[in-house]
Amino acid sequence: MRANGAVSLRELARVVQTSEVTVRRDVRALEAEGLLDRRHGGAVLPGGFTRESGFPQKSHLATAEKTAIADLAAGLVSEGEAVVVGAGTTTQELARRLARVPGLTVVTNSLLVAQALAHANRVEVVMTGGTLRGSNYALVGSGAEQSLQGLRVSRAFLSGSGLTAERGLSTSNMLSASVDRALVQAASEVVVLADHGKLGTDTMFQTVPAGSITRLVTDEPPGQDERAERELQALADRGVQIAVAGRPGAEPPGVPGGEQGAGAAGPEPGAGVHQEAGRPGPERPRRDVAMPGPRRTERPGSAPGTAPGAPPPAQLRTPGAASRVADLAPRRR
């Protein structure tokens, strides 16, 4: 970890030739001694307020969770939309799925996002200006921020280093945080993509306050991760819409009689998915919690404003008992 800044449990198990269960136990003991900080699927050096792992290390952490999050988030994007996508390994996964949405315009400061969309048919990519930051292959600085002035899109997809209900989304680098704030100013809605290992983690520079986050797309925390569960509820109490992807490895069921993504060809094989909290889904028992504001009665599988004869929108489904959907809303006091 001193050499790389972060390490995955899988890689540790391979190097020391033991099981991931043993490695996880040892990592927990090292964290208790203050020698490292655990992250889901791996560990990083302590001192998260100032330390930032580079792209090679981040790309090996929580890969299955990022895939499930990207699958779910891609269902929010419709044909012909214009969106901004920030830098990060999770947003890179999202970009790979957005390549299937025709007529899409994507504004980004990330070379990795642009690369994922470079050969997509009928997808226009607009790059910001700025100075290249090599650790995450992103354009930052005043040039990037000035190129975003006067821009207006439907929504922004952002990731970060940590997310709390108190401070919102944060990152360890000042230049990255400044550009992300400029991306937020250009969007009507803000969608944060963060695996559950980032929930409850606070880093040095605030990117988006919790009150400005429209929606959080995350994965399901393990049953013993009480901190992540508390943070999810606290974010819901602040009005953030929570969408939780299914457990990694769960096979998505087929969607009879329709497409599986808005303008997309559906999730890639083997992706675990999902139902968005608050959206119509399969007719089965579920926990319904009243959301604030006026309620509308709609038929399952329909969406407001859908023209007669139009194809049904994406139905994001949960693969039975293999996953759980968090349908969180503000608690009544």
Side-chain angles (χ1 to χ4, degrees), residues 66-163:
K66 292 172 184 176
T67 298
I69 291 169
D71 284 333
L72 183 53
L76 300 173
V77 181
S78 303
E79 180 177 344
E81 230 181 317
V83 300
V84 295
V85 180
T89 52
T90 311
T91 52
Q92 181 189 22
E93 288 295 325
L94 171 64
R96 290 171 178 152
R97 286 141 185 85
L98 295 183
R100 302 193 293 262
V101 184
L104 186 66
T105 300
V106 177
V107 181
T108 185
N109 68 320
S110 169
L111 299 187
L112 298 175
V113 169
Q115 183 183 40
L117 296 167
H119 301 291
N121 293 327
R122 298 175 60 191
V123 175
E124 182 178 2
V125 180
V126 179
M127 294 287 298
T128 69
T131 303
L132 177 63
R133 185 166 179 261
S135 61
N136 64 346
Y137 300 94
L139 297 172
V140 297
S142 59
E145 296 171 39
Q146 290 172 9
S147 66
L148 293 167
Q149 292 181 3
L151 180 71
R152 196 63 178 171
V153 299
S154 58
R155 58 178 57 90
F157 292 91
L158 297 177
S159 186
S161 302
L163 177 64

Coordinates of all heavy atoms in Angstrom, one line a residue, residues 66-163:
K66 N -19.4 -1.1 -9.0 CA -19.4 0.0 -10.0 C -20.2 -0.5 -11.2 O -20.9 0.4 -11.8 CB -18.0 0.4 -10.3 CG -17.2 1.0 -9.2 CD -15.8 1.2 -9.5 CE -15.0 1.8 -8.3 NZ -13.6 2.0 -8.6
T67 N -20.0 -1.7 -11.6 CA -20.7 -2.2 -12.8 C -22.2 -2.2 -12.6 O -23.0 -1.7 -13.4 CB -20.3 -3.6 -13.1 OG1 -18.9 -3.6 -13.5 CG2 -21.1 -4.2 -14.3
A68 N -22.7 -2.6 -11.4 CA -24.1 -2.6 -11.1 C -24.7 -1.2 -11.0 O -25.8 -0.9 -11.5 CB -24.4 -3.4 -9.8
I69 N -23.9 -0.3 -10.4 CA -24.3 1.1 -10.3 C -24.4 1.7 -11.7 O -25.4 2.4 -12.0 CB -23.3 1.9 -9.5 CG1 -23.4 1.4 -8.0 CG2 -23.5 3.4 -9.6 CD1 -22.3 2.0 -7.1
A70 N -23.5 1.5 -12.6 CA -23.5 2.0 -13.9 C -24.7 1.5 -14.7 O -25.3 2.2 -15.5 CB -22.2 1.7 -14.7
D71 N -25.0 0.2 -14.6 CA -26.2 -0.4 -15.3 C -27.5 0.3 -14.9 O -28.3 0.7 -15.7 CB -26.3 -1.9 -14.9 CG -25.3 -2.7 -15.7 OD1 -24.8 -2.3 -16.8 OD2 -24.9 -3.8 -15.2
L72 N -27.6 0.6 -13.6 CA -28.8 1.2 -13.1 C -28.9 2.7 -13.5 O -29.9 3.2 -13.9 CB -28.9 1.1 -11.5 CG -30.1 1.7 -10.8 CD1 -31.4 1.1 -11.4 CD2 -30.0 1.4 -9.4
A73 N -27.7 3.4 -13.4 CA -27.7 4.8 -13.7 C -28.0 5.0 -15.2 O -28.6 6.1 -15.6 CB -26.4 5.4 -13.4
A74 N -27.5 4.1 -16.1 CA -27.8 4.3 -17.5 C -29.2 4.3 -17.9 O -29.6 4.9 -18.9 CB -27.0 3.1 -18.3
G75 N -30.1 3.7 -17.1 CA -31.5 3.7 -17.3 C -32.2 5.0 -17.1 O -33.3 5.2 -17.5
L76 N -31.4 6.0 -16.5 CA -32.0 7.3 -16.3 C -31.8 8.2 -17.5 O -32.4 9.3 -17.6 CB -31.2 8.0 -15.1 CG -31.3 7.3 -13.8 CD1 -30.4 8.0 -12.8 CD2 -32.7 7.2 -13.3
V77 N -31.1 7.8 -18.5 CA -30.7 8.6 -19.7 C -31.6 8.2 -20.9 O -31.7 7.0 -21.2 CB -29.2 8.5 -20.0 CG1 -28.9 9.4 -21.2 CG2 -28.4 8.8 -18.8
S78 N -32.2 9.2 -21.5 CA -33.1 8.9 -22.6 C -32.5 9.3 -23.9 O -31.5 10.1 -24.0 CB -34.4 9.7 -22.4 OG -35.1 9.4 -21.2
E79 N -33.0 8.8 -25.0 CA -32.5 9.2 -26.3 C -32.6 10.7 -26.6 O -33.6 11.3 -26.3 CB -33.4 8.4 -27.4 CG -33.0 8.6 -28.8 CD -33.8 7.8 -29.8 OE1 -34.4 6.8 -29.3 OE2 -33.8 8.1 -31.0
G80 N -31.6 11.2 -27.2 CA -31.6 12.6 -27.5 C -31.3 13.6 -26.4 O -31.3 14.8 -26.6
E81 N -30.9 13.1 -25.2 CA -30.6 13.9 -24.1 C -29.2 14.5 -24.2 O -28.4 14.0 -24.9 CB -30.8 13.1 -22.8 CG -31.6 13.7 -21.7 CD -31.7 12.9 -20.5 OE1 -31.8 11.7 -20.6 OE2 -31.6 13.5 -19.4
A82 N -29.0 15.6 -23.4 CA -27.7 16.1 -23.2 C -27.3 16.1 -21.7 O -28.1 16.5 -20.9 CB -27.6 17.6 -23.7
V83 N -26.2 15.5 -21.4 CA -25.8 15.3 -20.0 C -24.3 15.7 -19.9 O -23.6 15.7 -20.9 CB -26.0 13.8 -19.5 CG1 -27.5 13.4 -19.6 CG2 -25.1 12.9 -20.3
V84 N -23.9 15.9 -18.6 CA -22.5 16.0 -18.3 C -22.1 14.9 -17.5 O -22.8 14.4 -16.6 CB -22.1 17.4 -17.6 CG1 -22.4 18.5 -18.5 CG2 -22.9 17.5 -16.3
V85 N -20.9 14.4 -17.7 CA -20.3 13.2 -17.0 C -19.0 13.6 -16.4 O -18.1 13.9 -17.2 CB -20.3 11.9 -17.8 CG1 -19.7 10.8 -17.0 CG2 -21.6 11.6 -18.4
G86 N -18.8 13.5 -15.1 CA -17.5 13.9 -14.5 C -16.5 12.7 -14.6 O -16.8 11.7 -15.1
A87 N -15.3 13.0 -14.0 CA -14.2 12.0 -14.1 C -14.4 11.0 -12.9 O -15.0 11.3 -11.9 CB -12.9 12.7 -13.9
G88 N -13.9 9.8 -13.2 CA -13.9 8.8 -12.2 C -14.1 7.4 -12.8 O -14.5 7.2 -13.9
T89 N -13.8 6.4 -12.0 CA -13.8 5.0 -12.5 C -15.3 4.5 -12.6 O -15.6 3.8 -13.5 CB -13.1 4.0 -11.6 OG1 -13.5 4.2 -10.2 CG2 -11.6 4.3 -11.7
T90 N -16.2 5.0 -11.8 CA -17.6 4.7 -11.9 C -18.2 5.3 -13.0 O -19.0 4.7 -13.8 CB -18.3 5.0 -10.6 OG1 -17.6 4.5 -9.4 CG2 -19.7 4.4 -10.6
T91 N -17.9 6.6 -13.3 CA -18.5 7.3 -14.4 C -17.9 6.8 -15.7 O -18.6 6.8 -16.8 CB -18.2 8.8 -14.3 OG1 -16.8 9.0 -14.1 CG2 -19.0 9.5 -13.2
Q92 N -16.7 6.2 -15.7 CA -16.2 5.6 -16.9 C -17.1 4.3 -17.2 O -17.4 4.1 -18.4 CB -14.8 5.1 -16.7 CG -14.1 4.5 -17.9 CD -12.8 3.9 -17.6 OE1 -12.4 3.6 -16.4 NE2 -12.0 3.7 -18.6
E93 N -17.5 3.6 -16.2 CA -18.3 2.4 -16.5 C -19.7 2.9 -17.0 O -20.3 2.3 -17.9 CB -18.6 1.7 -15.2 CG -17.4 0.9 -14.7 CD -17.0 -0.3 -15.7 OE1 -17.9 -0.8 -16.3 OE2 -15.8 -0.6 -15.8
L94 N -20.2 4.0 -16.5 CA -21.5 4.5 -17.0 C -21.3 4.9 -18.5 O -22.2 4.6 -19.3 CB -21.9 5.8 -16.2 CG -23.0 6.6 -16.8 CD1 -24.3 5.7 -16.8 CD2 -23.2 7.9 -16.0
A95 N -20.2 5.6 -18.9 CA -20.0 6.0 -20.2 C -20.0 4.8 -21.2 O -20.5 4.9 -22.3 CB -18.7 6.7 -20.4
R96 N -19.5 3.7 -20.8 CA -19.5 2.5 -21.7 C -21.0 2.1 -22.0 O -21.2 1.6 -23.1 CB -18.8 1.3 -21.0 CG -17.3 1.6 -20.9 CD -16.6 0.5 -20.1 NE -15.1 0.7 -20.1 CZ -14.3 0.4 -19.1 NH1 -14.8 -0.2 -18.0 NH2 -13.0 0.6 -19.2
R97 N -21.9 2.3 -21.1 CA -23.3 1.9 -21.3 C -24.0 3.0 -22.1 O -24.9 2.7 -22.8 CB -24.0 1.7 -20.0 CG -23.5 0.3 -19.4 CD -23.3 0.3 -17.9 NE -22.8 -1.0 -17.5 CZ -21.5 -1.3 -17.5 NH1 -20.6 -0.4 -17.9 NH2 -21.1 -2.5 -17.1
L98 N -23.6 4.3 -21.9 CA -24.2 5.4 -22.6 C -23.9 5.3 -24.1 O -24.6 6.0 -24.9 CB -23.8 6.7 -22.0 CG -24.2 7.0 -20.6 CD1 -23.8 8.4 -20.2 CD2 -25.7 6.8 -20.4
A99 N -22.9 4.6 -24.5 CA -22.6 4.4 -25.9 C -23.7 3.8 -26.7 O -23.7 3.9 -27.9 CB -21.3 3.6 -26.0
R100 N -24.7 3.2 -26.0 CA -25.8 2.5 -26.7 C -27.0 3.5 -26.8 O -28.0 3.0 -27.3 CB -26.2 1.3 -26.0 CG -25.0 0.3 -25.8 CD -25.6 -1.1 -25.4 NE -26.1 -1.0 -24.0 CZ -25.4 -1.4 -22.9 NH1 -24.2 -1.9 -23.1 NH2 -26.0 -1.4 -21.7
V101 N -26.9 4.7 -26.3 CA -28.1 5.6 -26.3 C -28.0 6.5 -27.5 O -27.1 7.4 -27.6 CB -28.2 6.4 -25.0 CG1 -29.4 7.3 -25.0 CG2 -28.1 5.5 -23.8
P102 N -28.8 6.4 -28.6 CA -28.7 7.2 -29.8 C -29.1 8.6 -29.5 O -29.9 8.9 -28.7 CB -29.7 6.5 -30.8 CG -30.7 5.8 -29.9 CD -29.9 5.4 -28.7
G103 N -28.4 9.5 -30.3 CA -28.8 10.9 -30.2 C -28.3 11.6 -28.9 O -28.7 12.8 -28.7
L104 N -27.5 11.0 -28.2 CA -27.0 11.5 -26.9 C -25.9 12.5 -27.1 O -25.0 12.3 -28.0 CB -26.6 10.4 -26.0 CG -26.2 10.7 -24.5 CD1 -27.4 11.2 -23.8 CD2 -25.6 9.5 -23.8
T105 N -25.8 13.6 -26.3 CA -24.7 14.5 -26.2 C -24.1 14.4 -24.8 O -24.8 14.6 -23.8 CB -25.1 15.9 -26.6 OG1 -25.7 16.0 -27.9 CG2 -23.9 16.9 -26.5
V106 N -22.8 14.2 -24.7 CA -22.1 14.0 -23.5 C -21.0 15.1 -23.4 O -20.1 15.1 -24.2 CB -21.5 12.6 -23.3 CG1 -20.8 12.5 -22.0 CG2 -22.6 11.6 -23.3
V107 N -21.1 15.9 -22.4 CA -20.1 16.9 -22.1 C -19.2 16.3 -20.9 O -19.8 15.9 -19.9 CB -20.7 18.3 -21.7 CG1 -19.5 19.3 -21.4 CG2 -21.6 18.8 -22.8
T108 N -17.9 16.3 -21.1 CA -17.1 15.7 -20.0 C -15.7 16.4 -20.0 O -15.2 16.9 -21.0 CB -16.9 14.2 -20.3 OG1 -16.2 13.6 -19.2 CG2 -16.2 13.9 -21.6
N109 N -15.1 16.3 -18.8 CA -13.7 16.7 -18.7 C -12.8 15.5 -18.5 O -11.6 15.6 -18.2 CB -13.5 17.6 -17.4 CG -13.8 16.9 -16.1 OD1 -14.7 16.1 -16.0 ND2 -13.0 17.2 -15.1
S110 N -13.3 14.3 -18.7 CA -12.6 13.0 -18.5 C -12.2 12.4 -19.8 O -13.0 12.1 -20.7 CB -13.5 12.0 -17.7 OG -12.9 10.8 -17.7
L111 N -10.9 12.2 -20.0 CA -10.4 11.5 -21.2 C -10.9 10.1 -21.2 O -11.1 9.5 -22.3 CB -8.8 11.5 -21.2 CG -8.1 12.9 -21.2 CD1 -6.6 12.7 -21.4 CD2 -8.7 13.8 -22.3
L112 N -11.1 9.4 -20.1 CA -11.5 8.0 -20.0 C -13.0 7.9 -20.4 O -13.4 7.0 -21.1 CB -11.3 7.5 -18.6 CG -9.9 7.4 -18.1 CD1 -9.9 6.9 -16.7 CD2 -9.0 6.5 -19.0
V113 N -13.8 8.9 -20.0 CA -15.2 8.9 -20.5 C -15.3 9.2 -22.0 O -16.0 8.5 -22.7 CB -16.0 10.0 -19.7 CG1 -17.3 10.3 -20.3 CG2 -16.1 9.6 -18.2
A114 N -14.5 10.1 -22.5 CA -14.5 10.4 -23.9 C -14.0 9.2 -24.7 O -14.5 8.9 -25.8 CB -13.6 11.6 -24.2
Q115 N -13.0 8.5 -24.2 CA -12.5 7.3 -24.9 C -13.6 6.2 -25.0 O -13.7 5.5 -26.0 CB -11.3 6.8 -24.1 CG -10.6 5.5 -24.8 CD -9.5 5.0 -24.0 OE1 -9.5 5.0 -22.8 NE2 -8.4 4.6 -24.7
A116 N -14.3 6.0 -23.9 CA -15.4 5.0 -23.9 C -16.5 5.3 -24.9 O -17.2 4.4 -25.4 CB -16.0 4.9 -22.5
L117 N -16.6 6.6 -25.3 CA -17.7 7.0 -26.2 C -17.2 7.3 -27.6 O -17.9 7.7 -28.5 CB -18.4 8.2 -25.6 CG -19.2 8.0 -24.3 CD1 -19.6 9.4 -23.7 CD2 -20.4 7.2 -24.6
A118 N -15.8 7.2 -27.8 CA -15.2 7.6 -29.0 C -15.8 7.0 -30.3 O -15.9 7.6 -31.3 CB -13.7 7.4 -28.9
H119 N -16.1 5.7 -30.2 CA -16.6 5.0 -31.4 C -18.1 4.7 -31.3 O -18.6 3.9 -32.1 CB -15.8 3.7 -31.5 CG -14.3 3.8 -31.6 ND1 -13.7 4.4 -32.7 CD2 -13.3 3.6 -30.8 CE1 -12.4 4.5 -32.6 NE2 -12.2 4.0 -31.4
A120 N -18.8 5.4 -30.5 CA -20.3 5.2 -30.3 C -21.0 5.9 -31.5 O -20.7 7.0 -31.8 CB -20.8 5.7 -29.0
N121 N -21.9 5.2 -32.1 CA -22.7 5.8 -33.2 C -23.7 6.7 -32.7 O -24.4 6.4 -31.7 CB -23.4 4.6 -34.0 CG -22.4 3.8 -34.8 OD1 -21.3 4.2 -35.2 ND2 -22.7 2.5 -34.9
R122 N -23.8 7.9 -33.3 CA -24.9 8.8 -32.9 C -24.8 9.4 -31.5 O -25.7 9.7 -30.9 CB -26.3 8.2 -33.2 CG -26.5 7.9 -34.6 CD -27.9 7.2 -34.7 NE -29.0 8.1 -34.3 CZ -30.2 7.7 -34.1 NH1 -30.5 6.4 -34.3 NH2 -31.1 8.5 -33.8
V123 N -23.5 9.4 -30.9 CA -23.3 10.0 -29.7 C -22.2 11.1 -29.9 O -21.1 10.8 -30.3 CB -22.8 9.0 -28.6 CG1 -22.5 9.7 -27.3 CG2 -23.9 7.9 -28.3
E124 N -22.6 12.3 -29.5 CA -21.7 13.4 -29.7 C -21.0 13.7 -28.3 O -21.6 13.7 -27.3 CB -22.4 14.7 -30.1 CG -21.5 15.9 -30.3 CD -22.3 17.1 -30.8 OE1 -23.5 17.0 -30.9 OE2 -21.6 18.1 -31.1
V125 N -19.7 13.8 -28.4 CA -18.9 14.0 -27.2 C -18.3 15.4 -27.3 O -17.6 15.8 -28.2 CB -17.7 13.0 -27.1 CG1 -16.9 13.2 -25.8 CG2 -18.3 11.6 -27.0
V126 N -18.5 16.2 -26.2 CA -17.9 17.6 -26.1 C -17.0 17.6 -24.9 O -17.3 17.3 -23.8 CB -19.1 18.6 -25.9 CG1 -18.4 20.0 -25.7 CG2 -20.1 18.5 -27.0
M127 N -15.7 17.9 -25.2 CA -14.7 17.9 -24.2 C -14.5 19.4 -23.7 O -14.5 20.3 -24.5 CB -13.3 17.4 -24.8 CG -13.3 16.0 -25.1 SD -13.3 14.9 -23.7 CE -11.8 15.4 -22.9
T128 N -14.3 19.5 -22.4 CA -13.9 20.8 -21.9 C -12.4 21.1 -22.2 O -11.7 20.2 -22.7 CB -14.0 20.8 -20.3 OG1 -13.0 20.0 -19.8 CG2 -15.4 20.4 -19.9
G129 N -12.0 22.3 -22.0 CA -10.6 22.6 -22.1 C -10.0 22.3 -20.7 O -10.5 21.6 -19.9
G130 N -8.8 22.9 -20.5 CA -8.1 22.7 -19.2 C -6.8 22.1 -19.3 O -6.3 21.8 -20.4
T131 N -6.2 21.8 -18.1 CA -4.9 21.2 -18.0 C -5.1 19.7 -17.5 O -5.9 19.4 -16.7 CB -4.1 21.9 -16.9 OG1 -4.0 23.3 -17.2 CG2 -2.7 21.3 -16.7
L132 N -4.4 18.9 -18.2 CA -4.5 17.4 -17.9 C -4.0 17.1 -16.5 O -2.8 17.4 -16.2 CB -3.8 16.6 -19.0 CG -3.9 15.1 -18.8 CD1 -5.3 14.6 -18.8 CD2 -3.0 14.4 -19.8
R133 N -4.8 16.4 -15.7 CA -4.3 15.9 -14.4 C -4.1 14.4 -14.6 O -5.1 13.6 -14.8 CB -5.4 16.2 -13.4 CG -4.9 15.8 -12.0 CD -5.9 16.4 -10.9 NE -5.4 15.9 -9.6 CZ -6.0 14.9 -8.9 NH1 -7.1 14.3 -9.4 NH2 -5.6 14.6 -7.8
G134 N -2.9 14.0 -14.6 CA -2.5 12.6 -15.0 C -3.0 11.5 -14.1 O -3.2 10.4 -14.5
S135 N -3.2 11.8 -12.8 CA -3.6 10.8 -11.9 C -5.0 10.2 -12.1 O -5.3 9.0 -11.8 CB -3.5 11.3 -10.4 OG -4.4 12.4 -10.2
N136 N -5.9 11.0 -12.7 CA -7.2 10.5 -13.0 C -7.7 10.8 -14.5 O -8.8 10.7 -14.8 CB -8.3 11.1 -12.0 CG -8.4 12.6 -12.1 OD1 -7.6 13.3 -12.7 ND2 -9.5 13.1 -11.5
Y137 N -6.7 11.3 -15.3 CA -6.9 11.5 -16.7 C -8.1 12.5 -16.9 O -9.0 12.3 -17.8 CB -7.2 10.2 -17.4 CG -6.1 9.2 -17.4 CD1 -6.1 8.2 -16.4 CD2 -5.1 9.2 -18.3 CE1 -5.1 7.3 -16.3 CE2 -4.0 8.3 -18.2 CZ -4.0 7.4 -17.2 OH -3.0 6.5 -17.1
A138 N -8.1 13.6 -16.1 CA -9.1 14.6 -16.2 C -8.6 15.9 -16.5 O -7.4 16.2 -16.1 CB -9.9 14.6 -14.9
L139 N -9.4 16.8 -17.2 CA -9.0 18.1 -17.5 C -9.5 19.0 -16.4 O -10.7 19.0 -16.0 CB -9.6 18.6 -18.8 CG -9.1 17.8 -20.0 CD1 -9.9 18.2 -21.3 CD2 -7.6 18.0 -20.3
V140 N -8.6 19.8 -15.8 CA -8.9 20.7 -14.6 C -8.4 22.1 -14.9 O -7.8 22.3 -15.9 CB -8.4 20.1 -13.3 CG1 -9.0 18.7 -13.0 CG2 -6.8 20.0 -13.4
G141 N -8.7 22.9 -13.9 CA -8.2 24.3 -14.0 C -9.2 25.3 -14.6 O -10.3 24.9 -14.9
S142 N -8.7 26.5 -14.7 CA -9.6 27.6 -15.1 C -10.1 27.4 -16.6 O -11.3 27.8 -16.9 CB -8.9 29.0 -15.0 OG -7.7 29.0 -15.8
G143 N -9.3 26.8 -17.4 CA -9.7 26.5 -18.8 C -10.9 25.6 -18.8 O -11.9 25.8 -19.6
A144 N -10.9 24.6 -18.0 CA -12.1 23.6 -17.9 C -13.3 24.3 -17.4 O -14.4 24.1 -17.9 CB -11.7 22.4 -17.0
E145 N -13.1 25.1 -16.3 CA -14.3 25.8 -15.7 C -14.9 26.8 -16.7 O -16.1 27.0 -16.8 CB -13.9 26.4 -14.4 CG -13.4 25.4 -13.4 CD -12.8 26.1 -12.2 OE1 -13.3 27.1 -11.7 OE2 -11.8 25.6 -11.6
Q146 N -14.1 27.6 -17.4 CA -14.6 28.6 -18.3 C -15.3 28.0 -19.5 O -16.3 28.6 -20.0 CB -13.4 29.5 -18.8 CG -12.8 30.4 -17.7 CD -11.6 31.1 -18.2 OE1 -11.2 31.1 -19.3 NE2 -10.9 31.8 -17.2
S147 N -14.9 26.9 -19.9 CA -15.5 26.2 -21.1 C -16.9 25.7 -20.7 O -17.7 25.4 -21.6 CB -14.7 25.1 -21.6 OG -14.6 24.0 -20.6
L148 N -17.3 25.7 -19.4 CA -18.6 25.2 -19.0 C -19.6 26.3 -18.8 O -20.7 26.1 -18.5 CB -18.5 24.4 -17.7 CG -17.7 23.0 -17.8 CD1 -17.4 22.5 -16.5 CD2 -18.6 22.0 -18.6
Q149 N -19.1 27.6 -18.8 CA -19.9 28.7 -18.6 C -21.0 28.9 -19.7 O -20.7 28.7 -20.9 CB -19.1 30.0 -18.5 CG -18.2 30.1 -17.3 CD -17.4 31.4 -17.2 OE1 -17.6 32.2 -18.1 NE2 -16.6 31.5 -16.2
G150 N -22.2 29.1 -19.4 CA -23.3 29.2 -20.3 C -23.9 27.9 -20.8 O -24.8 27.9 -21.6
L151 N -23.3 26.8 -20.3 CA -23.8 25.5 -20.7 C -25.1 25.1 -19.9 O -25.1 25.4 -18.7 CB -22.7 24.4 -20.5 CG -23.1 23.0 -20.9 CD1 -23.2 22.8 -22.4 CD2 -22.0 22.0 -20.3
R152 N -26.0 24.4 -20.5 CA -27.2 23.9 -19.7 C -27.6 22.5 -20.3 O -27.8 22.4 -21.5 CB -28.4 24.9 -19.9 CG -29.5 24.6 -18.9 CD -28.9 24.9 -17.5 NE -29.9 24.7 -16.4 CZ -29.7 24.7 -15.1 NH1 -28.4 24.8 -14.7 NH2 -30.6 24.5 -14.3
V153 N -27.6 21.5 -19.4 CA -28.0 20.2 -19.8 C -29.0 19.6 -18.7 O -29.3 20.3 -17.7 CB -26.7 19.2 -19.8 CG1 -25.7 19.7 -20.8 CG2 -26.1 19.2 -18.4
S154 N -29.6 18.5 -19.0 CA -30.6 17.9 -18.2 C -30.1 17.5 -16.8 O -30.7 17.7 -15.8 CB -31.3 16.8 -18.9 OG -30.4 15.8 -19.2
R155 N -28.9 16.8 -16.8 CA -28.4 16.2 -15.5 C -26.9 16.0 -15.6 O -26.4 15.8 -16.7 CB -29.1 14.9 -15.1 CG -29.1 13.8 -16.1 CD -29.8 12.6 -15.6 NE -31.1 12.8 -15.3 CZ -32.1 12.7 -16.2 NH1 -31.9 12.3 -17.4 NH2 -33.4 12.9 -15.8
A156 N -26.3 16.0 -14.4 CA -24.9 15.7 -14.3 C -24.7 14.4 -13.5 O -25.4 14.2 -12.5 CB -24.2 16.9 -13.6
F157 N -23.8 13.6 -14.0 CA -23.4 12.4 -13.3 C -22.0 12.6 -12.7 O -21.1 12.8 -13.5 CB -23.4 11.2 -14.3 CG -24.8 10.8 -14.8 CD1 -25.3 11.4 -15.9 CD2 -25.6 9.9 -14.1 CE1 -26.6 11.1 -16.4 CE2 -26.9 9.6 -14.5 CZ -27.4 10.2 -15.7
L158 N -21.9 12.5 -11.4 CA -20.6 12.7 -10.8 C -20.3 11.6 -9.8 O -21.2 10.9 -9.2 CB -20.7 14.0 -10.0 CG -20.9 15.3 -10.7 CD1 -21.0 16.5 -9.8 CD2 -19.8 15.6 -11.7
S159 N -19.0 11.4 -9.6 CA -18.5 10.5 -8.5 C -17.6 11.3 -7.6 O -17.5 12.5 -7.8 CB -17.8 9.3 -9.1 OG -17.5 8.4 -8.2
G160 N -17.0 10.7 -6.6 CA -16.1 11.4 -5.7 C -15.4 10.4 -4.8 O -15.5 9.2 -5.0
S161 N -14.8 10.9 -3.8 CA -14.0 10.1 -2.9 C -14.9 9.7 -1.6 O -14.6 8.8 -0.9 CB -12.8 10.8 -2.4 OG -11.9 11.1 -3.5
G162 N -15.9 10.6 -1.3 CA -16.7 10.3 -0.1 C -18.0 11.0 -0.2 O -18.2 11.9 -1.0
L163 N -19.0 10.5 0.6 CA -20.3 11.0 0.6 C -20.9 10.9 2.0 O -21.0 9.8 2.6 CB -21.2 10.3 -0.4 CG -22.7 10.7 -0.5 CD1 -22.8 12.2 -1.0 CD2 -23.5 9.8 -1.4

